[in-house]
Amino acid sequence: MATTATQTAEKAQAAEEHEHHPSHLEHHFVSSEQQFDSAKMGMWLFLITEILLFSGMFVAYTVYRAWHPEVFATASATLNWKLGGINTLVLLASSLTVALSIHYAQKENRKMLVTNLLVTLALAGVFLVIKYFEYTAKFEHGVFPGEAFAPHGHHYEHMAGMPYAAQFFSIYFVMTGIHGVHVVIGMIVIGWMATRAMRGHFSAEWYTPVELTGLYWHLVDIIWIFLFPLLYLI
Amino acid sequence: MAHSEYPGSEHDHHIIPKKTLFSVFGALVMLTILTVAVAQVDLGSAINIVLALAVASAKASLVVTFFMALKYDKKVNTMVFSIGTLFVGIFLVFTLFDTAFRGDLGNVGIETISAEKRTEKKLKARDPGAAGLAIAPGDSARLTDQLAADTTAAADSAAAAPDSAAAASGGDHGGGGSDHGGGG
């Protein structure tokens, strides 16, 4: 009898505790706010490691360019700045829609949250399709990274045998390629967020995963903001 | 209840108005058009690079401030971001301290810089001066003798070098031995 009484008391206590803890709140956090802020700071720390990952490539770019400015100018001129520019606008628009999705998550508008996430996903897809056409146009003319570099055809043949021209395309393909991998990962995560949003996993009280996905996506946008002028324009 | 226990917390997150988001997007598009337009004009490589980087930085700042909402966020996140970018700057600048001052790497000798300096000094010491360079027909034999003497001297000093090194190390050993003797 005594055991049953204790168990009942424990259950009551547990139920009471549960009342003060929303289902999303882990017990080691004081409040939803603290949990949200911790998650966000963790995301910012991760984004810094991402920035440092790309900074290694930006440094390689800078050193290469400082050493071989003429080769850089010649090789860079073969990139299609119009496609690069369109892709910049596409990514900027996707940044807007992902910011809007958070706006609607905070207002608990599930339909608009899902719509904006799906539009972001579609814009990311457009970016990759344009990138695919850019890459294939280069591959068709033997413009590959590294040892395979063997340019031919009207627009590219002047680079055949030009010292250090191959290195430009190694830098170009590695930088845009790793950025592209980030776009693909972003698409997977955004798609996942969209399905979770459809199933009503998020509320104005708790939308942390959408917020963090948004931060990641904006970073992918920022990297491209720098890649576009540095590779295509100047 | 839990919220009041966590100082400095506000229950509601800042909701960025749609108008702000669209204005920021408009500004980003305008800046993109600007950077493309400026790049079509040749202002000299350095100015074009500075302008393009300035516009890109402005765009990145807009994204970070409004889309990523650092403006409305806890200051600690701004600090994390600022310190991170500071280290990117350090990475870049300190790498350039090396790579920008290497000189012509395609035109380096096999000797070390100090060995090159020694050689240069030696050659300068041998400089005969303007008077010495004035050659009369009868000087030919004397010059040939002098050249032969120089070559012999150089060979002698080269041959002497290993000997003197061995002598020095032998002397060290002797010194060590006598120290031991003194101790005993």
Side-chain angles (χ1 to χ4, degrees):
Chain A
M1 291 297 277
T3 323
T4 323
T6 319
Q7 275 174 352
T8 316
E10 271 174 6
K11 263 183 197 165
Q13 202 188 348
E16 196 189 345
E17 267 179 25
H18 200 75
E19 213 178 332
H20 294 295
H21 285 269
S23 60
H24 62 259
L25 181 58
E26 302 287 345
H27 281 253
H28 49 273
F29 287 111
V30 171
S31 66
S32 297
E33 277 307 306
Q34 194 202 19
Q35 178 170 292
F36 179 78
D37 289 338
S38 306
K40 217 168 168 182
M41 194 171 102
M43 192 64 196
W44 273 103
L45 287 168
F46 168 68
L47 293 186
I48 284 304
T49 68
E50 288 279 57
I51 290 175
L52 290 171
L53 162 74
F54 277 96
S55 75
M57 292 178 266
F58 278 110
V59 168
Y61 164 96
T62 310
V63 171
Y64 169 83
R65 189 172 179 165
W67 279 354
H68 312 292
E70 301 85 9
V71 191
F72 175 91
T74 311
S76 160
T78 66
L79 298 181
N80 188 334
W81 65 265
K82 283 170 193 150
L83 289 181
I86 292 168
N87 256 351
T88 307
L89 297 177
V90 168
L91 270 196
L92 289 176
S94 75
S95 251
L96 171 68
T97 54
V98 91
L100 283 172
S101 74
I102 288 157
H103 174 89
Y104 287 114
Q106 289 170 321
K107 286 191 166 172
E108 211 137 346
N109 185 337
R110 193 199 295 183
K111 191 165 166 264
M112 287 305 279
L113 162 63
V114 172
T115 307
N116 275 292
L117 285 174
L118 291 179
V119 172
T120 311
L121 195 62
L123 288 168
V126 170
F127 177 89
L128 284 183
V129 167
I130 292 177
K131 207 77 216 134
Y132 167 80
F133 283 121
E134 276 193 80
Y135 274 12
T136 46
K138 293 285 170 286
F139 293 158
E140 274 169 13
H141 294 95
V143 177
F144 290 103
E147 298 260 298
F149 184 70
H152 52 80
H154 170 62
H155 194 48
Y156 302 97
E157 60 196 357
H158 62 288
M159 292 187 300
M162 181 186 280
Y164 303 110
Q167 276 88 334
F168 172 84
F169 287 96
S170 295
I171 289 170
Y172 165 76
F173 280 116
V174 169
M175 291 187 94
T176 57
I178 293 181
H179 178 265
V181 169
H182 280 77
V183 172
V184 171
I185 294 169
M187 286 178 77
I188 294 168
V189 178
I190 290 166
W192 179 38
M193 287 305 127
T195 58
R196 287 186 70 179
M198 276 179 219
R199 283 179 279 153
H201 281 195
F202 306 121
S203 64
E205 289 290 309
W206 187 73
Y207 58 95
T208 312
V210 185
E211 173 87 24
L212 302 189
T213 306
L215 286 177
Y216 172 84
W217 191 251
H218 292 309
L219 184 89
V220 173
D221 186 21
I222 288 175
I223 301 289
W224 186 260
I225 284 175
F226 281 97
L227 282 180
F228 169 58
L230 288 176
L231 289 172
Y232 291 78
L233 288 182
I234 49 170
Chain B
M1 188 193 105
H3 292 294
S4 60
E5 289 167 12
Y6 179 41
S9 72
E10 290 165 36
H11 182 72
D12 291 317
H13 296 143
H14 183 87
I15 301 179
I16 303 167
K18 259 193 287 182
K19 202 181 151 224
T20 310
L21 295 176
F22 277 100
S23 321
V24 169
F25 176 65
L28 288 169
V29 172
M30 295 311 287
L31 285 169
T32 306
I33 294 168
L34 175 72
T35 194
V36 169
V38 167
Q40 308 306 314
V41 191
D42 187 9
L43 302 165
S45 179
I47 296 175
N48 273 358
I49 291 171
V50 168
L51 281 177
L53 281 178
V55 173
S57 304
K59 285 165 74 182
S61 310
L62 281 175
V63 172
V64 169
T65 312
F66 295 101
F67 283 174
M68 298 171 96
L70 268 190
K71 189 184 176 201
Y72 315 101
D73 209 350
K74 291 253 174 334
K75 289 288 163 273
V76 68
N77 291 333
T78 308
M79 191 187 75
V80 168
F81 176 71
S82 309
I83 292 178
T85 42
L86 173 73
F87 274 89
V88 173
I90 291 173
F91 183 13
L92 185 63
V93 170
F94 276 69
T95 307
L96 288 175
F97 280 160
D98 170 6
T99 61
F101 299 102
R102 282 189 188 174
D104 186 1
L105 286 179
N107 183 27
V108 289
I110 51 165
E111 282 186 308
T112 62
I113 291 172
S114 44
E116 271 177 3
K117 277 190 178 153
R118 274 197 300 276
T119 313
E120 194 187 340
K121 222 177 187 179
K122 223 184 262 174
L123 287 173
K124 270 193 182 148
R126 273 180 54 181
D127 184 4
L133 284 173
I135 298 174
D139 288 345
S140 173
R142 187 176 56 80
L143 281 171
T144 313
D145 286 354
Q146 194 186 334
L147 199 63
D150 276 6
T151 316
T152 320
D156 280 357
S157 73
D163 284 358
S164 63
S169 78
D172 274 10
H173 281 298
S178 70
D179 270 37
H180 277 297

